[in-house]
Amino acid sequence: DAKTTQPTSMDCAEGRAANLPCNHSTISGNEYVYWYRQIHSQGPQYIIHGLKNNETNEMASLIITEDRKSSTLILPHATLRDTAVYYCIVRVGGMYSGGGADGLTFGKGTHLIIQP
Amino acid sequence: NAGVTQTPKFQVLKTGQSMTLQCAQDMNHNSMYWYRQDPGMGLRLIYYSASEGTTDKGEVPNGYNVSRLNKREFSLRLESAAPSQTSVYFCASSFSGRSSYEQYFGPGTRLTVT
């Protein structure tokens, strides 16, 4: 799996958009970008994933650059409950997966702190 | 649906003792996983099971064994616990193949080995 680079920590004011960057310059054509978050002491939670198009769901938006070497996770209206560690993960998945399964490779992620 | 459940939530062992961590999922997922998380670190894959009847080693399998008991249950066994195995253990499950984009995690088991 390609390696990812994320800032160690970020602050954001409550109610503002939180933009979390991720660099994955060695990403391969069959690798997706996944975002998970881990709220203190809980198990990680899936947020969103994408291959090359921008994606949006009820939690967040994912913007992937045209060369796919970086991406940004956007939480449009951050709340205090969004304070968590956010992990950007690159791996083969979805339509490119074979019949088996692969684990996720977690780095240290970005500790996002939402300030009141 | 309960999702992914893990037992116990907390456990303290003495060096050399053995124990089994239990995990069950009720989402009809094919694949199941065991991770460990040390303080300040990301999760690391211990073992995974792509489907019932198969298991494979992950990044850090030494000192652990697993059993995929049936489609719902995947257990992790420490035969002779060591202080280096003090960690939080997470179980996860997912569909496999084309639908394998999301893993669902349990609440974790906090294990201390003294």
Side-chain angles (χ1 to χ4, degrees), chain B residues 40-97:
Chain B
M41 305 292 289
L43 283 71
R44 291 184 293 170
L45 183 66
I46 305 171
Y47 269 94
Y48 67 99
S49 171
S51 60
E52 189 178 353
T54 69
T55 61
D56 286 285
K57 295 178 180 179
E59 180 186 355
V60 288
N62 290 346
Y64 306 95
N65 286 301
V66 291
S67 296
R68 183 74 182 268
L69 304 169
N70 48 55
K71 191 171 186 179
R72 291 187 64 248
E73 299 172 289
F74 188 37
S75 63
L76 178 72
R77 182 159 179 85
L78 287 70
E79 290 291 352
S80 178
S84 60
Q85 294 178 304
T86 293
S87 192
V88 181
Y89 291 85
F90 290 101
C91 177
S93 69
S94 74
F95 292 110
S96 57

Side-chain angles (χ1 to χ4, degrees), chain B residues 27-42:
Chain B
M27 295 172 282
N28 201 34
H29 287 162
N30 311 96
S31 302
M32 298 186 73
Y33 312 82
W34 277 106
Y35 295 86
R36 62 176 285 175
Q37 184 174 32
D38 299 328
M41 305 292 289

Side-chain angles (χ1 to χ4, degrees), chain B residues 11-19 78-83 85 111-114:
Chain B
Q11 184 70 47
V12 179
L13 291 178
K14 295 188 188 308
T15 297
Q17 288 185 318
S18 62
M19 77 161 295
L78 287 70
E79 290 291 352
S80 178
Q85 294 178 304
L111 175 66
T112 301
V113 183
T114 62

Side-chain angles (χ1 to χ4, degrees), chain A residues 2-76:
Chain A
K3 181 179 169 58
T4 61
T5 304
Q6 298 178 253
T8 303
S9 65
M10 295 180 64
D11 288 349
C12 179
E14 188 178 17
R16 305 297 291 267
N19 296 274
L20 291 88
C22 180
N23 286 318
H24 32 79
S25 58
T26 60
I27 192 170
S28 299
N30 62 352
E31 289 181 314
Y32 286 69
V33 180
Y34 296 80
W35 283 84
Y36 281 73
R37 73 179 182 184
Q38 186 174 25
I39 296 171
H40 182 61
S41 298
Q42 298 180 21
Q45 176 191 23
Y46 164 84
I47 301 172
I48 199 167
H49 77 285
L51 182 62
K52 52 186 177 182
N53 297 323
N54 298 338
E55 302 287 345
T56 296
N57 63 20
E58 64 279 3
M59 289 182 68
S61 295
L62 174 60
I63 308 298
I64 302 174
T65 58
E66 193 168 341
D67 63 8
R68 303 210 319 126
K69 293 185 177 182
S70 65
S71 60
T72 301
L73 177 75
I74 301 172
L75 308 178

